[in-house]
Amino acid sequence: MAAIHGKIDKGILSVERNSRDVVTFDLEGRLIYYTTEGKTYRRSLENKFIRLAWDGKDRIVEDMDEEQASTLVNEAYALAKELSSSVDDKDIAEALVHVGERNWDWLVDDARKMHNCYDGSIPIIPPDQYFSLYLQLSRGCAWNKCTFCKLYLDRQYEVKEIGAFENHLHDIRAFFGKGIESRKGVFIGDANAINVDQKVLISALDMIKKEFDLPVYSFVDAFTTPKRKNMMHYEEMRRHGLKRVYIGLESGSTKVLHLLNKLMNVSEVLNMVNNLKMSGIGVGLIIMAGAGGHRYWKDHVEETASILSQMDLSRGDMIYLSPMVEYDDLEYSKIAEEQELGILTDEEKKKQADELSSAIKATFQDVNGKPLEVPVARYDLREAIY
């Protein structure tokens, strides 16, 4: 006889059969995860699907096409409907019946409604923010000149007027419905929302507090922001709900940063991070394995570990190592060929990520006389779906 277990916890409905098949939904019936036969499948709100598995210590991420995804969805919803009659808890059984009425077409329409809320897709979100509410205070990237990045090339930079942003919050609440209970924070985007006019930002943070009362997170760049914001600004942001910001540092090497056209002075980065920390705001730092190629491998690893060791990092902060993606149609690939950088293979990027992790921890210990308390985690851009 099959062992069936179901629960509703923090806005997420999950049901498990024989500790093998597990499927989770939000309370509106949106599929979140489905695990079966040792593989896990994840759906984004844009109705994109990825397949997750492990090969030893390596995490395998694979995109799924529409035919594969629709087959998977039908199987997941059929399982929910089937198990609705096998759970003892009445509330869970009723929730599963409701979920079992959803299907692929409903998810496609739901994704269309989500796109309408944002006038397009969500470019990217940090891995620990997948279950936040994405709120679009600014659209696009004010810089948008990095040689390796194509996330914002299709959109013009603009900042929402505060009245339009308030309407946006209401639209997001209406879209999520009961599913909003599964959301654990608020992420304001797109690329660097905290760099907007301070009065606009504080008004937006207050609206978020009133509407959702959740901690707030955002991306921030480390080259335009120090020219517009200072310690007083950061302290004000923290008082109005900003909890952590994410910085695409990419490298601590000035040579590599020049190749990426990230025009930042590493001392400015250091000061900004430490000012954020002193103001009570946490940081998430993103480093790219493979940046600078073979030519700058040693410099990239050593200089990155060096700059991180000088930051006042503590519990609650994050360091992510992301394998670089070299797009053939972007400037970085042309530079790599002209300067004979030597693009790393996937396996070499994994090796460099291991070196970066070890060097970051060892250098921090040497400089500070204590171990680094911040997790150094892998971050695959293919998983960065909202």
Side-chain angles (χ1 to χ4, degrees), residues 350-369:
K350 291 177 185 177
K351 180 181 178 182
Q352 188 180 80
D354 288 338
E355 284 189 23
L356 279 163
S357 181
S358 297
I360 288 167
K361 294 172 184 176
T363 306
F364 190 92
Q365 172 78 51
D366 290 344
V367 171
N368 297 280

Side-chain angles (χ1 to χ4, degrees), residues 28-30 43-49 66 73 77 101-117 174-176:
E28 284 292 333
R30 298 179 182 93
R43 174 191 181 261
S44 77
L45 290 170
E46 298 183 82
N47 215 36
K48 297 176 182 176
F49 287 77
E66 186 172 307
V73 163
Y77 281 113
E101 295 172 353
R102 305 303 194 196
N103 55 32
W104 173 257
D105 290 338
W106 185 86
L107 288 180
V108 170
D109 187 58
D110 189 65
R112 178 188 59 78
K113 293 176 181 176
M114 195 277 284
H115 279 140
N116 288 341
C117 290
F175 164 72
F176 274 99

Side-chain angles (χ1 to χ4, degrees), residues 20 64-65 68-69 73 82 96 105 135 139 153 167 172 197 215 229 261 270 273 299 302 311 322 334 341 367 373:
R20 182 174 61 88
M64 298 177 65
D65 62 32
Q68 293 171 323
V73 163
E82 174 190 342
L96 286 170
D105 290 338
L135 302 178
R139 189 171 190 270
L153 295 179
N167 292 334
I172 295 299
D197 178 82
K229 306 285 177 163
N261 201 30
L270 180 60
V273 169
D299 194 64
E302 292 180 353
M311 294 179 180
S322 173
K334 298 175 185 176
L341 299 182
V367 171
E373 296 182 328

Side-chain angles (χ1 to χ4, degrees), residues 126 128-129 132 184-188 194 201-202 204-206 208-209 213-220 233-247 272-285 312-318:
D128 58 311
Q129 293 299 311
S132 284
K184 313 307 178 190
V186 166
F187 191 91
I188 50 173
I194 73 163
L201 175 61
I202 297 305
L205 289 172
D206 288 345
I208 292 168
K209 172 73 174 177
D213 195 23
L214 291 169
V216 181
Y217 308 85
S218 180
F219 280 125
V220 60
H233 293 122
Y234 301 144
E235 289 176 343
E236 187 177 27
M237 294 176 201
R238 190 260 306 157
R239 291 196 301 270
H240 289 262
L242 186 65
K243 183 172 183 179
R244 184 190 302 135
V245 296
Y246 297 80
I247 303 167
M272 187 184 85
V273 169
N274 288 341
N275 283 340
L276 283 162
K277 291 292 298 174
M278 288 176 65
S279 74
I281 296 172
V283 295
L285 299 156
D312 185 24
L313 302 177
S314 59
R315 292 182 187 275
D317 298 326
M318 309 286 294

